[in-house]
Amino acid sequence: DKDGYPHFMLKEINEQSRVIRDSLVGRLRNESVDLSEELKWSNEEIRKWNRIHIVACGTSYYAALIAERLFENVTEWDIRVDVASEYRYRELNSGPETLAIFVSQSGETADTLAAERKAKISGACCLAVTNVPNSTLAREVDHVLLLKAGPEVGVAATKTFTGQLCVLYLLALYLGRVSGTLPDSKQKRLVQELRVLPFKVDTILEDHLLIRGLAEKYANARNFLFLGRGNSFPVALEGALKLKEISYIHAEAYAAGEMKHGPIALLDHDVPVVVLIPRDHLYDKVLSNIQEARARSAPIIAVATSGDQHIIPNAEDILWIPPSEPELNPFLEVIPLQLFAYYVARYKGCDIDQPRNLAKSVTVE
Ligand code: M6R
């Protein structure tokens, strides 16, 4: 049931504040995260680990890359994030001292399942983050954390990306707390921010007509570049993936600092550059990347924090997100990128919910 929306994708984009709220239910106690009902880990077991592997494909992999940065921030374990199709064939240090997390919306992705089986044989503690409780992945692992996203019908993942981010963030905060590496004050600040996140998501969704106008303005471009730094870099990867998979426009994403190592050669007035430039500690660095792109006549579409006057003369067009704790910016940045991809594809008359050559879950290698 599309609930009055023309496509499942648009309906699912609009469900994201509900997904965040549902993800928090039963997982917060006062101002901290408590997952002890779902994860029966003893302190002894947690102390045994010295590394965390996070493994996934596609959009789930990008959610994992964002989470990696939070894990680095709030825990002291070595974190490795990999695509499942690589992880399954690598010679890795894995064993009982490894917590291996497999992120899969469907729980049926062949590469992710193979990676999980490999980790399990090594003796790693295997945890699934999935939307489907009775999926193969959920049945095979030692522990499961479920998304509360509800069924996702559109082939392009949207609300499950947000759900994955929520669950991975909760996990990072929980492990940071129980392992004693995350100060209470920081936990409290991030939990308070998670609680207000749904309202901020809704304010972005209200801007959909503006985003639609912008999408129509740029829909005839043949190539796009997406740039971001820090936790915005994986959001750039996700924004480019959304655009290419449903509109069939070539879109590449780079860590903004890498632009000068090659992609800058592609830039001219025909290549719009979508730049994620939230107000965080990397703001000035990204601004100088914008100036490099502008010097090559590339039109800049900035995703920036409301109230940032400085960005106005530096971009052709701006998509605004509300101010937030920097760790949570990815939740907000991804929404305008999903809507942008959606409206470009709609303008071009593409089959949005069933893009060519793609399946909702990839059950073959
Ligand atoms: O079900 P999974 O999360 O394991 O699926 C992984 C990818 O196949 C999936 O995210 C794919 O990239 C989507 N089409 C993205 O929109």
Side-chain angles (χ1 to χ4, degrees):
D1 180 359
K2 291 186 195 135
D3 230 355
Y5 288 97
H7 299 96
F8 281 108
M9 182 178 177
L10 189 59
K11 176 186 176 218
E12 288 159 1
I13 289 173
N14 277 282
E15 284 178 83
Q16 291 177 101
S17 50
R18 194 269 306 151
V19 170
I20 298 171
R21 280 194 190 94
D22 288 356
S23 302
L24 303 181
V25 172
R27 290 168 170 168
L28 299 181
R29 185 154 305 156
N30 303 320
E31 297 306 327
S32 63
V33 179
D34 189 354
L35 300 177
S36 57
E37 289 289 307
E38 292 160 271
L39 301 173
K40 306 285 180 203
W41 287 332
S42 63
N43 286 347
E44 199 179 63
E45 187 164 14
I46 294 174
R47 270 198 295 269
K48 205 168 61 186
W49 303 328
N50 60 15
R51 67 175 82 89
I52 298 181
H53 291 174
I54 314 181
V55 185
C57 300
T59 289
S60 305
Y61 170 65
Y62 300 146
L65 286 178
I66 296 167
E68 177 186 26
R69 284 146 170 94
L70 187 68
F71 272 94
E72 277 167 3
N73 222 297
V74 302
T75 73
E76 284 177 352
W77 286 293
D78 282 337
I79 317 287
R80 170 197 286 270
V81 178
D82 211 346
V83 285
S85 54
E86 289 295 314
Y87 185 92
R88 62 183 291 187
Y89 294 116
R90 291 178 76 168
E91 295 305 323
L92 293 162
N93 274 337
S94 172
E97 63 297 327
T98 308
L99 169 64
I101 304 168
F102 299 89
V103 187
S104 173
Q105 183 284 129
S106 62
E108 302 296 346
T109 300
D111 283 323
T112 308
L113 289 173
E116 184 272 329
R117 287 167 190 153
K118 176 175 173 155
K120 197 160 198 186
I121 289 170
S122 79
C125 173
C126 293
L127 166 68
V129 172
T130 182
N131 199 30
V132 184
N134 55 358
S135 59
T136 309
L137 184 66
R139 284 185 273 111
E140 290 193 6
V141 289
D142 306 303
H143 305 274
V144 181
L145 273 177
L146 288 175
L147 313 185
K148 313 245 178 106
E152 186 174 66
V153 179
V155 164
T158 53
K159 63 175 179 172
T160 54
F161 173 80
T162 296
Q164 288 166 341
L165 266 189
C166 264
V167 168
L168 289 168
Y169 267 44
L170 291 172
L171 180 64
L173 298 183
Y174 178 61
L175 288 176
R177 180 168 70 78
V178 296
S179 63
T181 51
L182 172 62
D184 286 350
S185 56
K186 184 162 180 181
Q187 168 113 202
K188 187 171 169 187
R189 182 166 56 77
L190 291 174
V191 166
Q192 282 172 346
E193 192 63 30
L194 275 170
R195 288 192 202 273
V196 294
L197 206 50
F199 300 101
K200 296 186 179 180
V201 166
D202 281 338
T203 63
I204 303 172
L205 292 169
E206 281 161 17
D207 272 350
H208 66 102
L209 288 179
L210 196 142
I211 300 172
R212 180 179 183 159
L214 220 74
E216 292 177 0
K217 175 175 169 186
Y218 288 100
N220 291 318
R222 293 169 60 89
N223 300 287
F224 276 80
L225 190 63
F226 284 67
L227 300 176
R229 280 179 185 255
N231 62 6
S232 299
F233 166 47
V235 184
L237 290 164
E238 172 61 4
L241 177 66
K242 285 292 85 94
L243 186 64
K244 66 188 138 194
E245 71 180 336
I246 60 168
S247 76
Y248 317 136
I249 295 176
H250 172 236
E252 278 193 64
Y254 271 87
E258 282 290 294
M259 188 174 63
K260 58 184 172 296
H261 297 289
I264 199 164
L266 297 170
L267 297 186
D268 63 22
H269 60 273
D270 281 336
V271 182
V273 183
V274 179
V275 186
L276 302 173
I277 180 163
R279 269 287 177 196
D280 64 15
H281 66 296
L282 296 167
Y283 182 89
D284 290 338
K285 302 282 175 198
V286 182
L287 194 60
S288 77
N289 298 132
I290 286 183
Q291 281 150 2
E292 287 156 8
R294 278 169 73 82
R296 275 84 190 168
S297 309
I300 304 293
I301 306 167
V303 176
T305 308
S306 321
D308 175 8
Q309 298 296 318
H310 205 59
I311 191 65
I312 295 172
N314 286 293
E316 272 55 52
D317 290 290
I318 304 174
L319 297 168
W320 297 106
I321 57 167
S324 168
E325 293 292 333
E327 290 88 345
L328 300 184
N329 279 331
F331 286 93
L332 303 173
E333 292 167 320
V334 76
I335 309 284
L337 300 188
Q338 293 169 344
L339 284 169
F340 184 79
Y342 170 78
Y343 283 120
V344 169
R346 183 160 151 183
Y347 181 79
K348 295 182 72 158
C350 300
D351 188 351
I352 293 177
D353 286 332
Q354 289 280 313
R356 68 185 182 205
N357 305 339
L358 293 176
K360 185 66 188 160
S361 78
V362 183
T363 54
V364 291
E365 184 172 11

